[in-house]
């Protein structure tokens, strides 16, 4: 896969049952299954398991690709190619089993064709568990992925040497490089789909191609770079057309009217934002997200999915969701809570939220987020920590929000401690965000003596928070007060 962070953002996957249904509905796997059921004692295959040429018209007819009810716009050659592709998937996924022709008495292979029987995997499509169906689909994806990285057949034939070996140098084709490029593109598409601020819809093909080619520090792309992007778009257009029938992507191809411009010797002109859809649009399907994540895991990458922490302890939950985007953290917490009764879950969360380490403020923020989802039955757990220096503030907030009676007022020290803790958590979660800047401005405006008191707060992050407030506040006078307070806090800690 492409270079990625050690831990990728978590992906919210559909259930395995839903994904299995999606897999069975993909055109290519459905065709492969149909051919596997069609094959019988009279089906003949070549040495590599491929259908012999004489069988292809019947296979295409079985798939409804020819004849009066055939697919619109398909000539016999295209229909045969689709049938051949579906058959190859059936062979590679074990939906059919190939039996080679027997050898003659002298050990030479007989001239007779091989035969076919039903494969063990075929029954799993109807009677297997969702995991079985998805395993077959992943094998089909592997076949299609390999085909997508192979150059045009005519070029391939021209590059075959006398000995039957492919002259890769003459072809200008690096098999591993092609596979790595497509893996990288799909990895970037995955990140654009699951990352913070992920795209809601399809990604323009030029942007995806540019993500692999244009250096991050480049301003205006050079003509050479634009030409490389154009070439990459042409390759990706062909590859996404191949990957769509297996259900990996939903793809709107490049407008045919633009092909002549892209094929020309001149570099592609800058893309007009208003016409960007004409240059191709692609998005990963829910099944595609599952498939790319599976390939990432196989490659050794840490690609978490929402729900991975549902059976773990609260400490693992709070630490694990610390770096999650807000929506993913919420979904993970909801799944964790769904497996527990509210009172016990609240106690476990509060216990895991304690600590004075650098990650503790963000743990407490995620704890607050989780506690906001539990009902009134968790109230005893919150009352148990009212006198806790680290948890007493957030406990009072929860009790007040739930309309509880007899909630003791917090001391001034507890209010300031909770404020520092909250800002420290926001800094860890979002950095210098606009929301945090608004919070900082509001605090300084509401409490004229805030900095005079805040530097005395005995919290490990006090100095860092005050320094951040100095950076974030737009008023120079207020920012200077914050920096002075930060200096006093560091001196106190020394």
């Amino acid at each position: 896969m492409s270079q990625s962070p050690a831990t990728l953002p978590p992906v919210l996957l559909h259930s395995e049952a839903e994904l299995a249904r999606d897999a069975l509905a993909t055109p290519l796997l459905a065709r492969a299954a149909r051919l596997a059921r069609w094959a019988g004692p009279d089906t003949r295959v070549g040495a590599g398991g491929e259908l012999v040429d004489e069988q292809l018209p019947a296979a295409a007819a079985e798939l409804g690709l020819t004849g009066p009810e055939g697919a619109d716009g398909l000539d016999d050659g295209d229909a045969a190619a689709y049938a051949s592709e579906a058959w190859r998937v059936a062979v590679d996924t074990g939906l059919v089993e190939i039996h080679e022709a027997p050898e003659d008495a002298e050990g030479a292979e007989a001239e007779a064709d091989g035969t076919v029987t039903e494969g063990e995997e075929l029954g799993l499509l109807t009677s297997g568990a969702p995991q079985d169906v998805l395993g077959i689909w992943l094998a089909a994806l592997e076949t299609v992925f390999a085909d997508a990285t192979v150059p045009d057949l005519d070029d391939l034939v021209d590059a075959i040497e006398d000995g039957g070996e492919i002259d890769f140098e003459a072809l200008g084709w690096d098999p591993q490089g092609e596979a790595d490029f497509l893996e990288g593109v799909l990895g970037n598409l995955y990140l654009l789909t699951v990352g913070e601020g992920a795209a809601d819809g399809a990604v323009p093909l030029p942007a995806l191609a540019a993500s692999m080619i244009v250096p991050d520090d480049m301003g205006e792309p050079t003509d050479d770079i634009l030409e490389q992007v154009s070439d990459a778009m042409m390759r990706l257009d062909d590859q996404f057309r191949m990957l769509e029938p297996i259900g990996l992507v939903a793809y709107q191809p490049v407008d045919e009217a633009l092909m002549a411009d892209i094929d020309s010797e001149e570099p592609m002109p800058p893309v007009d934002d208003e016409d960007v859809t004409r240059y191709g649009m692609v998005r990963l399907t829910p099944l595609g997200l599952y498939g790319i994540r599976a390939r990432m895991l196989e490659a050794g990458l840490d690609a978490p999915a929402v729900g991975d922490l549902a059976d773990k302890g609260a400490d693992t939950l709070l630490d694990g969701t610390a770096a999650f985007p807000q929506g993913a953290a919420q979904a993970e917490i909801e799944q964790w809570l769904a497996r527990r009764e509210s009172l016990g879950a609240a106690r476990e969360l509060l216990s895991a939220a304690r600590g004075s380490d650098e990650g503790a403020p963000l743990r407490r923020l995620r704890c607050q987020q989780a506690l906001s989802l539990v009902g009134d039955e968790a109230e005893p757990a919150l009352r148990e920590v009212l006198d806790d220096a680290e948890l007493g503030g957030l406990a009072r907030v929860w009790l007040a929000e739930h309309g509880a009676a007899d909630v003791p007022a917090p001391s001034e020290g507890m209010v300031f401690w909770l404020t520092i803790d909250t800002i420290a958590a926001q800094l860890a979660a979002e950095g210098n965000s606009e929301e945090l800047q608004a919070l900082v401005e509001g605090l300084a405006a509401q409490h004229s003596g805030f900095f005079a008191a805040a530097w005395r707060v005995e919290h490990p992050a006090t100095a860092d928070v005050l320094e951040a407030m100095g950076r974030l506040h737009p008023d120079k006078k207020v920012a200077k007060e914050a920096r002075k307070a930060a200096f006093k806090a560091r001196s106190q800690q020394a």
Side-chain angles (χ1 to χ4, degrees):
M1 305 303 295
S2 64
Q3 291 184 354
S4 304
T7 300
L8 294 158
V11 58
L12 181 58
L13 297 174
H14 287 192
S15 70
E16 288 189 336
E18 291 175 296
L19 292 170
R21 285 194 294 271
D22 290 345
L24 290 172
T26 58
L28 186 51
L29 186 56
R31 288 174 183 165
R34 187 167 178 176
L35 287 185
R37 297 186 179 98
W38 161 81
D42 296 331
T43 306
R44 294 291 177 263
V45 296
E50 73 283 0
L51 284 174
V52 297
D53 290 344
E54 293 79 7
Q55 297 262 236
L56 287 174
E62 174 64 23
L63 296 176
L65 300 174
T66 57
E69 297 181 359
D72 291 340
L74 284 184
D75 58 27
D76 289 346
D78 288 339
Y82 280 121
S84 179
E85 179 187 32
W87 180 258
R88 188 164 58 255
V89 168
V91 172
D92 289 350
T93 57
L95 300 182
V96 294
E97 185 175 346
I98 304 300
H99 302 276
E100 296 180 357
E103 296 180 347
D104 62 20
E106 298 181 358
E109 188 175 299
E111 294 183 2
D113 297 319
T115 57
V116 179
T117 58
E118 181 178 303
E120 294 182 1
E121 306 298 318
L122 183 59
L124 295 177
L125 292 182
T126 53
S127 61
Q131 298 96 317
D132 297 323
V133 174
L134 290 171
I136 294 170
W137 179 82
L138 285 171
L141 173 60
E142 187 66 33
T143 294
V144 178
F145 182 92
D147 287 347
T149 60
V150 174
D152 181 81
L153 182 59
D154 292 337
D155 294 338
L156 196 59
V157 170
D158 292 340
I160 295 179
E161 300 175 322
D162 293 339
E165 297 292 325
I166 298 175
D167 184 356
F168 292 127
E169 185 174 349
L171 188 60
W173 176 49
D174 173 9
Q176 188 59 51
E178 286 293 326
D180 289 345
F181 180 82
L182 184 53
E183 290 277 21
V185 167
L186 293 173
N188 284 354
L189 185 57
Y190 183 92
L191 283 172
L192 289 169
T193 307
V194 306
E196 188 75 60
D200 293 329
V203 176
L205 194 60
L208 195 56
S211 73
M212 294 294 296
I213 293 170
V214 180
D216 293 337
D217 58 354
M218 175 172 281
E220 189 71 21
T222 63
D223 286 349
D224 179 61
I225 290 294
L226 289 174
E227 184 176 352
Q228 292 180 50
V229 171
S230 299
D231 291 342
M233 284 176 57
M234 291 297 294
R235 289 156 61 195
L236 290 174
D237 182 66
D238 289 337
Q239 290 168 335
F240 285 137
R241 288 173 191 257
M242 296 180 69
L243 291 168
E244 187 173 35
I246 198 60
L248 189 78
V249 296
Y251 182 54
Q252 175 183 323
V254 176
D255 188 336
E256 295 290 343
L258 296 172
M259 286 297 188
D261 291 337
I262 296 177
D263 279 334
S264 70
E265 296 296 326
E266 296 297 322
M268 186 183 69
V271 176
D272 185 343
D273 289 342
E274 295 182 2
D275 294 327
V276 69
T277 59
R278 297 182 63 205
Y279 290 84
M281 301 289 289
V282 63
R283 66 174 176 83
L284 286 175
T285 65
L287 188 60
L289 282 170
Y290 169 84
I292 298 304
R293 176 177 181 262
R295 294 178 68 86
M296 287 178 164
L297 292 174
E298 187 177 352
L301 295 176
D302 185 2
V306 172
D308 285 351
L309 307 180
D311 60 349
K312 304 294 191 295
D315 53 347
T316 302
L317 174 74
L318 298 182
D319 283 333
T321 57
F324 281 19
Q326 182 69 19
Q330 179 93 355
E332 185 70 61
I333 290 168
E334 287 174 351
Q335 293 200 27
W336 189 88
L337 288 171
R339 300 191 180 194
R340 294 160 176 81
E341 53 87 18
S342 294
L343 180 57
R347 285 180 172 137
E348 191 178 349
L349 287 165
L350 288 164
S351 177
R354 288 189 174 93
S356 58
D357 57 284
E358 186 177 350
L362 189 49
R363 283 203 307 276
R364 283 186 282 273
L365 182 66
R366 292 299 188 220
C367 177
Q368 285 182 282
Q369 183 179 351
L371 290 172
S372 70
L373 302 175
V374 300
D376 292 344
E377 56 270 27
E379 181 176 334
L382 278 299
R383 289 195 177 277
E384 289 166 5
V385 298
L386 282 172
D387 294 331
D388 188 291
E390 296 175 348
L391 305 176
L394 68 86
R396 284 167 170 79
V397 171
W398 187 95
L399 290 167
E401 289 177 345
H402 283 73
D406 301 323
V407 180
S411 66
E412 184 179 68
M414 181 174 285
V415 170
F416 275 92
W417 194 95
L418 181 60
T419 300
I420 295 294
D421 198 59
T422 300
I423 296 177
Q426 295 285 357
L427 280 168
E430 304 173 5
N432 299 335
S433 65
E434 292 182 4
E435 292 79 3
L436 185 56
Q437 181 174 340
L439 174 62
V440 167
E441 291 181 34
L443 282 171
Q446 293 171 17
H447 305 281
S448 58
F450 178 82
F451 297 112
W455 71 267
R456 304 176 188 274
V457 175
E458 294 183 2
H459 188 293
T462 296
D464 291 335
V465 165
L466 292 172
E467 282 184 357
M469 293 181 76
R471 291 195 308 272
L472 290 168
H473 204 289
D475 186 291
K476 292 183 178 180
K477 181 180 178 182
V478 176
K480 185 176 181 180
E481 286 184 52
R483 290 193 294 270
K484 284 184 176 179
F487 178 80
K488 291 180 179 179
R490 292 208 184 280
S491 299
Q492 178 178 258
Q493 292 172 349

